[in-house]
Amino acid sequence: MAVQPVTLNLPNTLYHQVQRRAEKSHRSVEDELLEVIATAISTLDELPQEITEAMAQLVFLDDAALERVARSTMASEQAEQMEALNLKQQREGLTPEERQELTKLLRHYEHVMLVRAKAAALLKERGYDVSNPALFTPSS
């Protein structure tokens, strides 16, 4: 595979984040940056733009912020409305307006879940045990 050299100037804080990730995954900083870029590009090609933008920004968050994202949920009112519309759809069907609202809620739910999953994956890459989201802790 042909390669192209690239010089990249990173702010110290971002460089140190990448350096820590590289150490945790036993890779060089160069390999870690290559992985981040490759993952971001492959993800960006397959998902709606608003989701890809949200996911791309996650790599810049510190661990505490990533934990908050990984634990985030859809607002309870929205979840209740989505459930009610699903049940109504099964019982009697939906009006066109209700179908549109359900589609909007489902898109939002997918957005939340994909961003949560990406945040959890990043935490795992950084050495956290994410098997129990209530107890995100660094692995030994």
Side-chain angles (χ1 to χ4, degrees):
M1 168 174 70
V3 296
Q4 297 296 319
V6 174
T7 301
L8 181 63
N9 295 312
L10 297 174
N12 283 338
T13 55
L14 183 55
Y15 177 81
H16 292 299
Q17 286 178 342
V18 173
Q19 187 178 37
R20 282 192 304 274
R21 285 178 50 143
E23 289 169 0
K24 287 180 182 179
S25 59
H26 306 290
R27 291 191 276 217
S28 68
V29 170
E30 182 180 79
D31 287 343
E32 186 65 24
L33 284 170
L34 185 60
E35 175 68 22
V36 168
I37 292 168
T39 301
I41 289 173
S42 68
T43 300
L44 296 175
D45 289 342
E46 301 168 7
L47 298 171
Q49 184 176 357
E50 70 272 3
I51 294 175
T52 58
E53 288 172 0
M55 291 172 62
Q57 294 303 310
L58 294 175
V59 298
F60 302 112
L61 298 179
D62 64 20
D63 295 352
L66 268 180
E67 283 186 48
R68 286 190 298 277
V69 171
R71 292 180 183 171
S72 65
T73 60
M74 187 176 193
S76 60
E77 300 82 25
Q78 291 174 317
E80 289 169 7
Q81 183 182 15
M82 187 171 66
E83 182 179 7
L85 287 170
N86 274 325
L87 292 173
K88 183 178 183 212
Q89 183 177 31
Q90 291 172 8
R91 284 190 322 268
E92 59 193 82
L94 299 174
T95 67
E97 295 81 17
E98 290 170 328
R99 259 194 312 278
Q100 185 177 10
E101 182 63 20
L102 180 57
T103 299
K104 181 178 140 191
L105 289 166
L106 286 170
R107 281 193 197 125
H108 178 66
Y109 176 75
E110 290 170 352
H111 175 102
V112 169
M113 295 309 293
L114 287 168
V115 172
R116 281 183 64 185
K118 180 65 176 179
L122 288 170
L123 284 169
K124 183 173 175 62
E125 286 178 14
R126 293 180 186 184
Y128 282 77
D129 177 5
V130 295
S131 59
N132 182 354
L135 303 171
F136 288 133
T137 56
S139 299
S140 309

